[in-house]
Amino acid sequence: MNNITDFETVYLDEEKGALAIVDQTKLPNKIEMLYLTKAKEIWDAIYLLKVRGAPAIGVAAAIGIYVLVKDEQTDEMEKFQSKFHEVKEYLATSRPTAVNLFWALDRMEKVVANNCKGTVSEVIELLHKEALKIREEDIEVCRKIGEYALTLVKPGDGLLTHCNAGRLATVKYGTATAPMYLGYEKGYDFHIFVDETRPLLQGARLTAFELKNAGLDVTLICDNMSGMVMKKGLVQAVFVGCDRVAANGDTANKIGTSVVAAVAKYYDVPFYVCAPTSTIDMTLASGSEIPIEERSEDEITEMWYEKRMAPEEVNVFNPCFDVTDHELITGIVTEYGVVKAPYEESLKRIFENKI
Ligand code: MRU
């Protein structure tokens, strides 16, 4: 069987002129690449979670918008700018919570705005460079997060993660999984517990799959078992990713993350959020301002089951993310280091010192 670590999660296929992604809805049973060239295809891929995870969504949006405007047949900069803006606004409606989507699209639009005195073809070439740069940066950012996170644990530790903040959610190392991969390279012998992550099973289908493919020691558990493994002393640290961190450290991540954080606090297990600065939104004062995506009810009542497993017409609430209060977070691991409470100050310092 193919090994997922041999595949790139998200990249620009120069020959096909397409955004290339692994279709994550097919995993772990089938590894299938998709080559996307149309706006609706790219929008759908993000909305349907064919490409998912905050950093990968950002990279897909950057490459996607380049693909969608690269063949624009106009020499008039104003027309090009207006087309670019239209495509940007469209892609921005695909998912609301991961701020990387807006961060990447804004970064691409800045390239257009800063170079609008040049020709359209020059701007398109600069957009090409910027999209590749956003992708390359992600690899380095995740590696640095992994190095800092590794200083927080020791060989032989049990680590728990929720959802998939792995290589499938980024370009290479993942965020929450970066210390796991780097630790594995160094022979740290971690025991990794992976929450299956209802309702879309990103833990079971994606995290367990990629870590196992890479040779790590993985144990899959249901979401309601994290308290049990912590009580048994099997977990020395929790690492999770995030979709948006507010200025006070409140963090939106996959639904269920806040429950893991509360349980970790109860059992005195350190709870770390791995956050590239592209996922930190300093414009929002607290987590209550983070838009939380709600998805269709059949993800809970029908998906994965042979037949419906809930009464017809029962009320269903399906928020895709929850906000973990900053009081529950032991530290936030960024590419510039690990920051601790008070997060208003420590996160601000990170951005002040960022070049
Ligand atoms: O709905 P998803 O699968 O896109 O949710 C993903 C998560 O919640 C991840 O933990 C988060 O995006 C961080 S990925 C490094």
Side-chain angles (χ1 to χ4, degrees), residues 28-283:
N29 299 315
K30 188 172 179 202
I31 302 178
E32 184 178 322
M33 293 303 302
L34 299 177
Y35 301 93
L36 313 173
T37 54
K38 299 193 174 57
K40 176 81 169 82
E41 285 174 345
I42 295 173
W43 191 95
D44 276 351
I46 298 173
Y47 175 71
L48 296 170
L49 276 58
K50 292 179 181 185
V51 58
R52 43 136 312 276
I57 291 172
V59 173
I63 295 175
I65 200 162
Y66 163 70
V67 165
L68 296 175
V69 300
K70 73 179 173 44
D71 298 321
E72 270 310 294
Q73 305 287 344
T74 180
D75 291 332
E76 287 175 50
M77 186 55 78
E78 256 180 48
K79 268 198 190 154
F80 179 78
Q81 273 184 296
S82 121
K83 172 72 189 174
F84 185 94
H85 193 70
E86 187 189 308
V87 177
K88 178 195 170 204
E89 294 292 290
Y90 175 63
L91 291 182
T93 60
S94 54
R95 289 192 81 187
T97 306
V99 73
N100 302 58
L101 172 63
F102 314 104
W103 168 87
L105 291 172
D106 284 347
R107 218 173 120 168
M108 294 293 279
E109 191 162 53
K110 219 172 268 168
V111 169
V112 180
N114 290 345
N115 296 284
C116 61
K117 298 275 183 289
T119 66
V120 169
S121 58
E122 280 163 1
V123 168
I124 289 175
E125 191 37 44
L126 291 169
L127 286 169
H128 177 229
K129 280 208 180 92
E130 189 72 357
L132 296 182
K133 192 163 167 233
I134 287 174
R135 183 180 182 279
E136 275 311 297
E137 280 174 12
D138 183 71
I139 300 174
E140 193 46 29
V141 162
C142 288
R143 189 172 171 95
K144 285 197 176 132
I145 286 175
E147 283 164 5
Y148 285 118
L150 207 52
T151 65
L152 303 168
V153 288
K154 47 183 197 329
D157 275 354
L159 309 178
L160 185 140
T161 191
H162 188 76
C163 193
N164 174 264
R167 61 173 285 139
L168 285 163
T170 64
V171 177
K172 192 164 178 189
Y173 298 99
T175 58
T177 58
M180 302 169 189
Y181 284 122
L182 296 188
Y184 180 71
E185 281 172 16
K186 291 179 197 285
Y188 268 37
D189 196 21
F190 291 135
H191 307 288
I192 319 288
F193 290 91
V194 177
D195 284 351
E196 70 175 342
T197 317
R198 284 279 296 157
L200 292 184
L201 306 182
Q202 288 92 334
R205 294 190 305 107
L206 309 176
T207 309
F209 182 55
E210 61 163 83
L211 293 179
K212 187 115 191 65
N213 271 204
L216 279 73
D217 172 348
V218 183
T219 303
L220 177 65
I221 58 172
C222 297
D223 296 335
N224 51 7
M225 296 172 187
S226 55
M228 201 267 194
V229 292
M230 286 190 214
K231 186 172 179 161
K232 272 177 154 305
L234 299 176
V235 178
Q236 279 65 52
V238 177
F239 287 107
V240 294
C242 51
D243 284 78
R244 200 184 295 222
V245 179
N248 71 343
D250 289 353
T251 293
N253 190 48
K254 180 52 55 196
I255 191 74
T257 302
S258 66
V259 181
V260 180
V263 170
K265 178 108 179 164
Y266 183 78
Y267 288 113
D268 213 12
V269 173
F271 180 92
Y272 298 108
V273 171
C274 295
T277 48
S278 54
T279 315
I280 302 173
D281 186 349
M282 295 299 278
T283 68

